Amino acid sequence: MSDLAKVLAARAPDLPDIPLFGSVTVGQVFVAVAAVVVPATVVGHVLVLWAWARGWEPRRLRNLALVVVAAAALAGPIVGMLPWWGLELTASAVRQAWDGHYLPAGIDSAAATAPLVAITSWVWWHFYTKRMRSGVAQAAGERHVRRQLHIRAGAAARRAPPRAHPAGPHRPHRHTLGCPRPLL
């Protein structure tokens, strides 16, 4: 068996068997929390980094968050699931993590927590941007505002139509330097 096959076939490590309540142990609670929190944190960071790299205003991230929430609200009825499909998917992710299937657990958990994470990312980005613009952060705030304006200006320049060249198709009788064509 190759090393990759051994890694993919790996089972859950030995978890602490300290009983917590009923048949649930401390290790199982730790794995359940990690299976839900880690993918949610990754998705949240990706959303905020995307907004930062694009120079987005908080309202643009809000619009994205509302689209994610609307898509999640419509996803259940479209595929014939119950309205609380996110809770069921999270519980399924926890069971998968307990069984040692971490990748499917992370994917299910990220999908189930996406609406809450999108709203949380928008709120954090809103307060962060507001704090940077208010002057509380002083030099860091000035750098943030300058960087965001620079990013927005670059994006606007890329979206703008190309500027016409003096020797372009609208003035075929002129050369680049503005000299008339020589007569032949």
Side-chain angles (χ1 to χ4, degrees), residues 180-184:
R181 266 192 212 161
L183 297 173
L184 295 178

Side-chain angles (χ1 to χ4, degrees), residues 30-46 97 102 105-111 113 117:
F30 174 77
V31 168
V33 169
V36 174
V37 171
V38 171
T41 304
V42 169
V43 170
H45 279 81
V46 166
Y102 299 119
I107 292 170
D108 288 350
S109 177
T113 59
V117 168

Side-chain angles (χ1 to χ4, degrees), residues 6-184:
K6 289 178 186 175
V7 169
L8 293 177
R11 299 285 299 169
D14 292 334
L15 300 171
D17 289 334
I18 303 168
L20 194 58
F21 53 88
S23 63
V24 177
T25 65
V26 172
Q28 288 175 326
V29 170
F30 174 77
V31 168
V33 169
V36 174
V37 171
V38 171
T41 304
V42 169
V43 170
H45 279 81
V46 166
L47 285 174
V48 169
L49 285 173
W50 184 265
W52 177 80
R54 296 287 188 182
W56 280 4
E57 289 284 331
R59 62 182 156 75
R60 292 194 65 184
L61 194 55
R62 179 203 58 209
N63 294 343
L64 177 69
L66 292 177
V67 167
V68 170
V69 169
L74 294 174
I78 288 175
V79 297
M81 296 181 75
L82 299 172
W84 50 85
W85 66 271
L87 295 175
E88 290 181 0
L89 196 57
T90 303
S92 171
V94 168
R95 284 191 298 276
Q96 289 173 348
W98 283 350
D99 291 340
H101 306 289
Y102 299 119
L103 184 61
I107 292 170
D108 288 350
S109 177
T113 59
L116 179 63
V117 168
I119 294 292
T120 305
S121 298
W122 161 58
V123 169
W124 185 89
W125 183 243
H126 172 75
F127 284 121
Y128 176 77
T129 304
K130 187 176 180 180
R131 191 179 101 230
M132 289 293 130
R133 290 179 181 167
S134 69
V136 173
Q138 296 179 357
E142 291 175 18
R143 282 193 308 271
H144 170 79
V145 170
R146 206 174 315 120
R147 180 178 53 242
Q148 296 295 59
L149 290 175
H150 179 72
I151 290 170
R152 280 189 217 129
R158 284 189 299 276
R159 283 192 309 266
R163 294 180 61 192
H165 191 271
H170 63 286
R171 296 178 80 184
H173 63 282
R174 293 288 211 177
H175 288 279
T176 303
L177 299 175
C179 301
R181 266 192 212 161
L183 297 173
L184 295 178

